[in-house]
Amino acid sequence: MAEEEEFTDINGNSISLDCQTHSAFCREFTVTSPKLSLRKVMVCTCFIWLFAYAVFFFTENTTVLSSAIILTLAGMMIHIHFVKVDHETLLIIGSLGVQLSSSYASGRESTIFIEMSKLKDIVINEAVYMHSIIYYLCILIKDPADPETVASVVPLFQSSKPRLNCLVHVYRSCQEILAQTS
Amino acid sequence: MVLKLFFPQCCNTADSGLLVGRWIPGHNSAVVLAVIHYPFIPGQVKKYLSELQSQTQVDLTVLGSWSMPKEGQEGMDSFLKDLSTIFPQECWLQLSREIGKRGFTCQVVQNNGRLLQDREQKNGEGDKIILIHYDQRKVMLSQLHPVQDVGQKSDVEASELRLVFQTVAQSQPLFFLDKYDDGPLKLSHWQSEGREASIIAELLKQASVPVCIFLTWLLSLWYWFCSFRILHLPPVLFISSKLSTCVQSVYRAVHFRTVFSPKKAGTHVEFMRKANIFVSFLVDIALGLLLISWLYRENRISKLADTLVPVADRVAKELQELLEWLMGAPAGLKMNRALDQVLGRFFLYHIHLWISYIHLMSPFIERILWYVGLSACLGLTFALSVLSDIVALLTFHIYCFYVYGARLYCLTIYGLSSLWRLFRGKKWNVLRQRVDSCSYDLDQNTADTALFPLQLFIGTLLFTILLFLLPTTALYYLVFTLLRLVVVLFQGVIHLSVDFINSFPLFAIGLRICRPYRLAEGVKFNVLCQEPGTPLHLMMEINPLKCSSVLQCYRTPTYSCYPKDSWAALCKKLFVGELIYPWKQKTDKTD
């Protein structure tokens, strides 16, 4: 069962949330960020190359041009492999654990799995971010030796930063599953 | 409660039989390790399982039955239900799979006969079973990080995944029986197609024991040699603690003792430590031999030796010019003529002595260097340590000048500060380690703490003299400290690179790149597409450790050359004139 609604992130860019229910206690949420815009890439590249050409015009040194090309290529590769996140996934399996996965624009995936015994709760928290206050969904991890205290906090959907309406959707589904299986 | 079943991928297509595995204590889950096929005799199955239990310390039991019916095998269902009476269990699992379908079906029977879950039941509780498929060989070989020892009693209960990994890793004897064995039991597991082994690995294992014993004997000879009384005299000890070659050789000897001990490594951490040291030692030797081949190829070493004496000469000449400049009017500053001449002549005489010694040694330099260069066959780290020592010896005169200049400057500063206190009527109280005020009256009761006018007069005189001599001493101190810092920086760079070669865990990084499943940070789950009516199927894969965590975890501890003081403390020491030794060598930490 898949759902699509109109959601935005904290900056106003439109994102999409995809909910899949695999079973009564297993759900998967995917938040997709907007793709890399071609216009931005072209503007950036043109700017760098014009600047390099201007430097070449004054210095008559061709290494400036080749280094500008190499720099642009390297920068683009680093950006799509390490910086640009395509979609983030939250897979919650009742009584087993929660899996967070970020998939980058180059196809690389980075995954973390948190076992249910370490998970205290999933909550929506507020944070001061620059000049505004934003909501974010986070997982509270408990120290196995001392179950009452919160050992650390793992924020979810850090790159896409969806707004509260999207977070509430995910929060309700997660709480249903957590209530069922604990 | 949800029941979690870990099922090996190799048994997906196995014939019908009994499921053998372990119930994970404390969690509602079970790990399936193998499938025993029909026909079997229940008594032999029980005997085999109890043998394995004593061998592996894992409580293996029959978990249930597995049925993958082929043609002509109808009627298996009732046969399978009867099996639960032969192997009495609290919970009996009945897994079955039909050819052509991808999903399994599972029924769980409690020992009072009640069915926990019926596959026809679609409403109400629904599916409460998760089937997790795992790659048995990878999970067996993998090590979850952070590493916890198996027998270690920890306050923290082991997590479910850790128990699963430990169970599979400890059940290795179960996987020795393959389908070509003539025993009474036929098992299916990851090795049932035949045990994998490599002749080279087996030969190396057999050969390594006598080689290790021989090398340990050689090492004991070396220790016996080092224990001679003559080598424990204080001057020898002092020199050897300063020479980085000796420090490096001691360090390497400790390493060898770890690596070449004939005892097999018990835990994962010990094994990784041994392997890292061994691989880094091999790489060290290889790089050293490469360096030798480069140095000796076109007789470069003789050319190097030939340029060494002119370079030392040149350095000495530059120092002489520097001192002449200081003796004049350096940078337009006016120096105290007499002190300037004294200090300048003193240092010039030192340099003259130094140049004569270098010229005395010059015929032998080439031979010495030739033989010293051969020591690079012991490793690149040795060659770098020798280079550092050569640089230290050649710049010994700079070190001496620095010490003289620093001592003089230090005396001046202390004298000035104490006489300045005298001016202001304060005094250093040795008992209380603080500055106290001092009165000027000549009262009989306080005679010992009062200041006489004579004291004040002499104090003022000395203060003035020292104050006017300060620029000269300060300038000499500044120049020689800068030179000393340049040398220290160069030595520091060499030490850092030696440290890097010593401590970099090459084997661990290689393992992470070539066999990433061996070092696991965690697991990843993928939901496998399922058919309705079957329980949830997940695929568990191993999430390898990040490279930065590998480095942090497996870095060999070394005698690290970290800066002893912070920047602020260093600047303070420089200002006051205390001697600085910025690279303090910590003693080797063993854990």
Side-chain angles (χ1 to χ4, degrees), chain B residues 134-398:
Chain B
Y134 70 96
D135 187 332
Q136 205 165 43
R137 179 171 170 267
K138 288 193 179 163
V139 169
M140 186 184 83
L141 290 173
S142 154
Q143 171 71 39
L144 262 185
H145 291 77
V147 181
Q148 279 173 12
D149 278 330
V150 170
Q152 197 184 26
K153 281 266 173 279
S154 51
D155 328 330
V156 179
E157 209 182 83
S159 70
E160 191 177 1
L161 284 174
R162 199 172 279 275
L163 286 169
V164 167
F165 275 67
Q166 268 173 17
T167 309
V168 180
Q170 280 178 302
S171 315
Q172 284 214 13
L174 181 64
F175 307 133
F176 288 165
L177 220 58
D178 59 27
K179 73 181 188 192
Y180 303 109
D181 275 334
D182 276 333
L185 296 173
K186 294 262 174 278
L187 283 120
S188 258
H189 45 73
W190 71 273
Q191 246 187 165
S192 53
E193 297 294 321
R195 277 178 71 175
E196 53 175 52
S198 140
I199 292 182
I200 299 176
E202 295 298 317
L203 281 176
L204 279 176
K205 274 192 206 153
Q206 295 297 323
S208 66
V209 175
V211 167
C212 279
I213 293 180
F214 174 66
L215 286 168
T216 322
W217 176 75
L218 276 181
L219 208 65
S220 61
L221 272 185
W222 166 258
Y223 276 121
W224 170 77
F225 173 71
C226 284
S227 67
F228 280 167
R229 289 289 294 274
I230 194 165
L231 291 172
H232 282 271
L233 292 175
V236 181
L237 274 178
F238 177 71
I239 293 178
S240 67
S241 73
K242 292 286 174 225
L243 282 179
S244 55
T245 319
C246 298
V247 176
Q248 174 72 7
S249 60
V250 162
Y251 179 64
R252 273 288 185 228
V254 170
H255 270 176
F256 290 168
R257 200 161 36 158
T258 329
V259 172
F260 294 129
S261 74
K263 204 164 61 85
K264 198 167 140 66
T267 62
H268 172 84
V269 174
E270 272 177 36
F271 167 70
M272 292 298 283
R273 179 72 58 82
K274 269 190 163 188
N276 279 330
I277 292 176
F278 185 63
V279 171
S280 88
F281 172 61
L282 282 180
V283 167
D284 198 14
I285 301 268
L287 286 174
L289 290 173
L290 218 74
L291 182 69
I292 284 187
S293 76
W294 178 80
L295 270 180
Y296 287 83
R297 188 167 320 156
E298 283 149 26
N299 219 4
R300 282 207 187 93
I301 191 119
S302 314
K303 289 193 202 138
L304 219 72
D306 286 338
T307 57
L308 207 64
V309 173
V311 161
D313 255 348
R314 176 90 192 286
V315 167
K317 288 248 166 5
E318 292 284 334
L319 268 179
Q320 265 181 333
E321 278 174 33
L322 184 71
L323 282 169
E324 305 279 342
W325 179 67
L326 281 177
M327 273 161 67
L333 295 169
K334 189 160 191 309
M335 313 285 272
N336 180 291
R337 195 110 183 95
L339 183 63
D340 215 0
Q341 296 286 322
V342 162
L343 287 176
R345 293 234 179 91
F346 176 65
F347 290 134
L348 275 174
Y349 182 61
H350 267 87
I351 294 181
H352 171 75
L353 278 177
W354 186 257
I355 293 189
S356 355
Y357 285 143
I358 298 270
H359 281 242
L360 212 70
M361 286 260 292
S362 59
F364 308 112
I365 291 268
E366 192 187 324
R367 274 291 110 188
I368 294 177
L369 212 62
W370 205 91
Y371 287 117
V372 160
L374 280 181
S375 78
C377 72
L378 291 169
L380 186 67
T381 46
F382 260 87
L384 286 174
S385 315
V386 164
L387 177 69
S388 159
D389 287 335
I390 288 178
V391 164
L393 284 175
L394 284 181
T395 57
F396 190 63
H397 51 326
I398 295 182

Side-chain angles (χ1 to χ4, degrees), chain A residues 40-56:
Chain A
K40 255 195 187 170
V41 169
M42 301 272 293
V43 161
C44 222
T45 315
C46 287
F47 183 69
I48 296 181
W49 285 0
L50 280 174
F51 178 71
Y53 193 74
V55 173
F56 167 72

Side-chain angles (χ1 to χ4, degrees), chain A residues 22 25 95 99 111 113 115, chain B residues 4 127 159 523 525 530 543:
Chain A
H22 297 290
F25 51 85
S95 90
Q99 175 170 293
T111 322
F113 179 73
E115 290 182 71
Chain B
K4 289 158 276 194
D127 287 358
S159 70
V523 293
F525 288 100
Q530 69 222 28
N543 203 8

